[in-house]
Amino acid sequence: MIKKLFYGVIVLICMTISAQDTIMPLWPNGKIPNHVKSEEKETNREEGILIISKVQDPTIEVYLPSERNATGEAMLIFPGGGYGVLAYDWEGTDIAKFLNGKGIAGIVVKYRLPSEVSQVDKHNVPLIDAQRAIRLVRSKAESWNIKSDKIGIIGFSAGGHLASTLGTHYNEKVYEPLDTVDKLSARPDFMALGYPVITFGGKTHGGSKKNLIGENPSEAMIGHFSNEKQVSADTPPTFLMHATDDGAVPVENSLLFFQALRDNGVSATMHIYPKGGHGFSLASKDNHLRGWTERMFEWIESLR
């Protein structure tokens, strides 16, 4: 009986260690760029979905498919929340688990949200974490059974803005290198954007714009983070999906980005749905809208 109990405890400990190993800090030894020590604390709350705010210690949460099912592809996932919170399971871990079902590694990025209290140059902080996240995943590619040239990203709403920022500003130096990880490329190999904030011009999402670049940003700052203006021939192939009746982030955001991709000769696929509103995630209860996931998987297959 004692032996069985001891064995059970060992198994539980191993399971706990394994579960903890799926979450990794982005930065080594707590050396977090643009971070200021403060009284600000991270908060988690349940509102039907897990809402995280005031992120202090950014991480990646790694979901790997079984080796036999793995395609070698991975996607970093950037949950939305207007740069004020993260809809962490709804547009994060739920997406990762879904990707695993298609043999794709899903890696949720818990990125820092802009803060006047705990950061310097808050407008750069989400991009700093995004660049580090993709470099870190690339550094782990072999041990995670991932191909280093098959690492994509997906972002939703403001997370879509961050993803499109990474896809267009991946070469921008926004922090000083800390280790060998930072020598790796931050360019995504492909990019999927769900009802994304793209522009900080007329058809923007006011909350995301205010939270990232402030109440009265300069025209230069607005242009810098209007990502339809930052597309080049080197921007990764992109998949876009949006609902026409989105009342929070106008569908024009996706249209602007698609046109910019087309103008620069970048491969792009876009699916615009007549209904769906904003923030529909997997849309699992909508027989028509939920098809976006299959369309994305077909698109990823076309890139192979």
Side-chain angles (χ1 to χ4, degrees), residues 1-11:
M1 180 67 181
I2 292 172
K3 282 184 179 178
K4 284 183 179 178
L5 222 92
F6 177 75
Y7 178 74
V9 169
I10 294 297
V11 169

Side-chain angles (χ1 to χ4, degrees), residues 36 40 78 106 109 112 115 175 190 196 228 231 254 260 294 297 302 304:
V36 177
E40 195 170 60
F78 298 97
V109 185
R112 285 175 293 163
S115 168
Y175 68 95
F190 55 95
E228 79 278 10
V231 174
S254 285
E294 288 303 319
F297 292 133
S302 77
R304 292 172 184 166

Side-chain angles (χ1 to χ4, degrees), residues 41 88 98 133 146 164 177 261 268 289-290 301:
K41 304 290 184 186
Y88 192 74
F98 196 78
I146 293 168
S164 68
L261 293 164
L289 194 58
R290 68 187 181 191
E301 285 178 332

Side-chain angles (χ1 to χ4, degrees), residues 178-220:
L178 295 177
D179 53 23
T180 55
V181 170
D182 290 325
K183 294 179 181 179
L184 299 173
S185 171
R187 181 185 181 273
D189 295 300
F190 55 95
M191 178 162 61
L193 306 174
Y195 40 88
V197 180
I198 294 293
T199 188
F200 279 170
K203 294 283 188 178
T204 190
H205 177 250
S208 297
K209 177 181 178 181
K210 177 184 172 184
N211 286 335
L212 187 67
I213 61 175
E215 287 267 17
N216 299 297
S218 66
E219 287 301 317

Side-chain angles (χ1 to χ4, degrees), residues 50-76:
L50 175 60
I51 301 292
I52 299 179
S53 59
K54 300 179 182 178
V55 174
Q56 301 299 306
D57 298 303
T59 62
I60 53 172
E61 185 165 354
V62 183
Y63 290 80
L64 300 178
S66 65
E67 191 170 339
R68 283 191 172 188
N69 282 329
T71 64
E73 294 150 333
M75 295 188 83
L76 282 77

Side-chain angles (χ1 to χ4, degrees), residues 195-304:
Y195 40 88
V197 180
I198 294 293
T199 188
F200 279 170
K203 294 283 188 178
T204 190
H205 177 250
S208 297
K209 177 181 178 181
K210 177 184 172 184
N211 286 335
L212 187 67
I213 61 175
E215 287 267 17
N216 299 297
S218 66
E219 287 301 317
M221 185 75 81
I222 292 170
H224 186 71
F225 286 103
S226 291
N227 291 326
E228 79 278 10
K229 297 181 178 181
Q230 306 303 326
V231 174
S232 74
D234 293 323
T235 300
T238 302
F239 174 96
L240 294 132
M241 60 90 176
H242 218 123
T244 305
D245 66 348
D246 191 327
V249 178
V251 70
E252 282 81 1
N253 282 261
S254 285
L255 298 174
L256 283 168
F257 202 67
F258 179 83
Q259 187 62 55
L261 293 164
R262 189 164 176 264
D263 290 347
N264 283 272
V266 177
S267 175
T269 295
M270 181 169 61
H271 293 273
I272 302 297
Y273 294 87
K275 294 181 181 179
H278 185 72
F280 47 78
S281 181
L282 294 169
S284 57
K285 295 180 181 178
D286 186 312
N287 292 341
H288 179 56
L289 194 58
R290 68 187 181 191
W292 78 260
T293 55
E294 288 303 319
R295 304 294 78 75
M296 183 183 74
F297 292 133
E298 290 166 358
W299 169 74
I300 292 171
E301 285 178 332
S302 77
L303 301 175
R304 292 172 184 166

